[in-house]
Each structure stands twice: as C-alpha cells, then as structure tokens.
Amino acid sequence: MQVGVSLMLDEVFREAVLPLFEAGHVDALEYSFELGWARQRPAWAEGLLGFYGAQGRLWGHGVTYAPSSADAEASQRAWLKRAAPDLAALDLRGVSEHVGFMGVDDADVGAPLPPPPGDASIDVTVRAMRALREAAAVSVGLENLGLAFCAADAETGAHLLHRVLERVDGFLVLDLHNLHCQAVNLGLEAPTLLRLLPLQRARVVHVSGGSWSEHQSERGLVRWRRDTHDGPVPAEVFALLHAALPLCPNLEVVMLEQLGPTLGEARAASDFAADLGRLRSICGVSS
Amino acid sequence: MRLPASVLGSLRVGLSATALLAAGCDQADSQGVASAPAPDSQSVAGSVDVAVNALALRHSAAGSNSTTVADQDALGEEVEDLVRSAAEVRVAELSPAVSAGAAAAQGDPTAFVPFADDPRAARPIEPRPRVRAPKARQRAVPRHDRHWAAPSPASTPQPLPKWSDGGCPACGRG
C-alpha cells in the first residue's frame, strides 16, 4: 500500500510539502492536468513528475473532461488534444476523471454534476471514457461525486459507476470525503453508501477535507458539506478509510488532497503533515 | 520513498532568478535564459525554472548527458549551492507575487483548480429562449429504458434501505 499526495504547483504548496518529501513520506503522486494549462510548470514539479513516473507511482487526474456530458464530443476532443502532451510525456499508472456532466449546450456549469439515471447516461459516459482510454493508452478510472441532488441520486450514481467501469474495464477512484459529503447532506449512513460502490475496482482512494456552507431555506438555516479541499481531514473520513480498506482488495494508493494556497499558515501545513502521517499509520506504511 | 538529490535540490529551490543574479549567481546568464522556455512574466516559479533549466543546459553542454545517479547528484549539489548563496538576498519580488496569489485564492474558498484560460475570453452564457413544449402523448416506457437498474452479473450493488413515510426528504420521490 502506498500513501501519496495530489501535486499542486504553487510556491505555498511546495514550501508546505517540502519536509514531507525530504522525510521520504510521499510514496506516490497524483497530477491534475488542468493545473499545467493555467501556468507553466515549475522545474521542481517537473522533477517530481519525472521521478514518480519512472517509479510507476504517478497517477493522472482530470477535472473538466466531463465524461457524462451529452453531445460534448467537440469539447472532449479539445480536452484530449490539450492533455495529449502530458498523456504522451508522463509515465502514468492510470488516468481518472470525475463521473458527471459539466456542459449544457455552450454553458459550463462549473463543476461535475450527477447525471440523470438511465442507459443514456451510461452510454454517454462509456463513450467518453473509451476515448480517454485510447488517448491515454493506460487504464482509466472514475471518481464518485460528492454532490447528489437527492438520496435516489446516490444509488443512481453508484449504479452508473458499476456499469461504466465494467464496460471500460476501469478502476474506481474512491473519494471518501465525497462520500462523507453525500452522507451528511442527505442524512444517509456513510458505510451504507460505501457498500453501494464497485469497491472491488477501487485502486485509488482520495482523502481530503472540506468546508461548510450555509443558506436559508423554507426549513430554516441549512448547512451543506462541500468538497472544497481546503481543510484538514475530518475524523469521519478517517473512520471511513478504516471501513473501506478491507473492502478494497485491489487498492494501490491513498492520496491526500489539499489546495496549495490553503497551506500557507503554519498550522495548516502542520495539519497536512499530521494527516499524511495518520494515513500512513492506518495503511500500515512504515515511516 | 526517498527522492534523489537532484529532485530534492530542485524542490528546495524557491527563489527567483533575479534574486540569484543579485547574489552573484552567473547560472541564469543570457545564454541559459534564452535557451530556456520563456516563463510567464507574472510567474515567480517560472523565473525559478529559468535558473534551474540553465543549470541543466550547462550540464548537458559539458557533455554529461548520462543519467547516472552521480550526474544527478552533481546537478543537485549545484542547485543547493544556489539556494545557499541566494538565501542571503532579500527576495522582495517573490513575496508580493506569492502573497497576492494566496490572498486571491483565500478570497474565493470555492476555487478548486485554476484550469481555466483567461476568464475574459470565456463566452458569455446566452439566455435560452423559452419555447412552449408541445403536449406529449402518453407513451409506454421504451423497452431499453425499463431495466436500467438491472444489476450486472459481475457486480451486485445493494439498494438503499427505503426511508419511512413522506418519501425522499429532498425531492419527495420514493
């Protein structure tokens, strides 16, 4: 079992994680392609990507490919074209995306949203994932979403993951904080949600923190848990990891995610290091 | 997992090429800079790339194209020397860029990853014209849509327990 981090490209992240790399506590790396589209990758990041790729411990991850978007072949081809240099140059162990749609006509809804139930959503997602697999020439995976419009969506989303990953022979990126968000937002039991997912296909686990947003509704003040990657990992997510490990026979790596700019304070960097240490302990990785 | 000295050395470098030049470092000379990829002028990390790439180019020019660990360690040691010498120089131009970036990011807690191009280039969202939909005839559910929930033999997703009265609290379904 390996424990890794999601690579960010900013200076704040570099300074925060430097002690962890110096101590040899980062076994694997995940890289989101879109990061390198907004800015030039610094040399230190290139070095990390090259090293972990050569060791077979580098995973690619997308955010805006939106495999469940209908009639989005043009934008998906554009995404693949833009990602092509990295797909060719980086030694990736696998490439994953979020299940969900992002485009409606020419509008970008800003984040992956749960697709509606039905064979059409499954077929659309399968087509897009096959195109990604052909472009990447490695195994492709899908990550479960944190957002669900209602409790029935949780079952729908799990079913879609089962069917799509079966047809593309892909892997699951099990995001435990997303699971936690669904559970608390919908009033469901997280362990029950966990068992809905194709856990035998889970090769990567994502662990992160998030935040609460509040809004007024006719029922009063509503708190909504969001997967914003800007805080320490909640205790509930560590508990979910304990529950998930025995159920995921093909799990290879647990990735810790946090946005770089949120690690600027000493306390935040310290919490991040502590979370990584706790993950290593839970996963039985020697320090 | 232990990293080689060259990778760690590059990771430890976090200063601008300007600061390195000010410290008397001649590695970010014009030849190296001209040969390196043009950095984003607003990217401090981009200017760091120039200095480190210049080092790599110098090693390549010297004929050390080998990828042995010894060569990598030598490069790593030079990078660390740059760090030590430049550490005595104030990097005033570094702090505002980093602080501005951090402040901008902290002002928007919903920001995830900066994967967008210049937002000013984004197409505006056009409001869709409201079209009165014709009345649909009642049709039987197509056969291919009836069994979307049928589990495949290879996986057996477990259904959620039914909630009690009132259906789904959020949407009323069920």
Side-chain angles (χ1 to χ4, degrees), chain A residues 28-41:
Chain A
L29 214 59
E30 185 173 84
Y31 176 65
S32 293
F33 304 108
E34 287 88 347
L35 289 178
W37 299 351
R39 53 164 296 170
Q40 184 181 7
R41 278 202 297 253

Side-chain angles (χ1 to χ4, degrees), chain A residues 99 115-122 125-126 142 144 152-167 172 182 193 195-198, chain B residues 145-153 155-160:
Chain A
V99 67
D119 281 350
S121 288
I122 295 171
T125 310
V126 166
L142 281 173
N144 55 300
D153 267 347
E155 186 175 0
T156 298
H159 180 85
L160 186 145
L161 283 169
H162 273 274
R163 295 287 298 275
V164 172
L165 293 179
E166 188 180 17
R167 286 171 62 178
L172 174 68
Q182 272 197 5
L193 289 176
R195 284 178 158 77
L196 293 179
L197 296 169
Chain B
D145 273 343
R146 285 182 197 157
H147 304 293
W148 68 268
S152 75
S155 62
T156 53
Q158 301 302 314
L160 281 173

Side-chain angles (χ1 to χ4, degrees), chain B residues 20 33 109 120 137 155 162:
Chain B
L20 296 172
V33 171
R120 291 169 292 180
R137 288 183 295 118
S155 62
K162 297 296 181 186

Side-chain angles (χ1 to χ4, degrees), chain A residues 14 22 24 27 34 38-44 51-52 64 82 106 119 150 159 162 166 196 226 229 259 261, chain B residues 1-4 10-12 14 39 45 49 105 110-112 114-115 117 123 128 144 148 152 154-155 158 173:
Chain A
R14 185 196 62 81
E22 287 178 326
D27 304 322
E34 287 88 347
R39 53 164 296 170
Q40 184 181 7
R41 278 202 297 253
W44 57 264
F51 174 73
Y52 282 94
T64 57
R82 207 165 180 191
D106 289 329
D119 281 350
C150 63
H159 180 85
H162 273 274
E166 188 180 17
L196 293 179
R226 301 178 61 201
H229 291 198
L259 294 180
Chain B
M1 161 167 280
R2 294 289 172 180
L3 270 59
S10 176
L11 188 55
R12 286 172 182 140
D49 298 346
T110 65
F112 181 48
F115 49 78
D117 274 334
R123 293 173 59 179
R128 298 181 67 177
H144 65 272
W148 68 268
S152 75
S155 62
Q158 301 302 314
R173 272 195 265 167

Side-chain angles (χ1 to χ4, degrees), chain A residues 90-213:
Chain A
L90 299 177
D91 268 322
L92 298 168
R93 189 162 181 82
V95 172
S96 58
E97 248 293 357
H98 302 76
V99 67
F101 74 94
M102 288 186 70
V104 178
D105 293 340
D106 289 329
D108 182 345
V109 299
L113 297 181
D119 281 350
S121 288
I122 295 171
D123 291 342
V124 162
T125 310
V126 166
R127 270 199 299 273
M129 293 305 288
R130 282 177 176 161
L132 179 61
R133 185 180 62 189
E134 183 176 341
V138 292
S139 184
V140 293
L142 281 173
E143 176 179 329
N144 55 300
L145 289 182
L147 178 64
F149 293 125
C150 63
D153 267 347
E155 186 175 0
T156 298
H159 180 85
L160 186 145
L161 283 169
H162 273 274
R163 295 287 298 275
V164 172
L165 293 179
E166 188 180 17
R167 286 171 62 178
V168 303
D169 195 20
F171 62 93
L172 174 68
V173 175
L174 174 60
D175 192 301
L176 293 177
H177 188 261
N178 281 349
L179 205 71
H180 171 61
C181 290
Q182 272 197 5
V184 297
N185 291 337
L186 301 174
L188 301 171
E189 291 293 323
T192 304
L193 289 176
L194 178 66
R195 284 178 158 77
L196 293 179
L197 296 169
L199 300 179
Q200 73 282 4
R201 290 188 175 272
R203 292 175 63 193
V204 179
V205 161
H206 280 178
V207 169
S208 67
S211 57
W212 294 96
S213 71

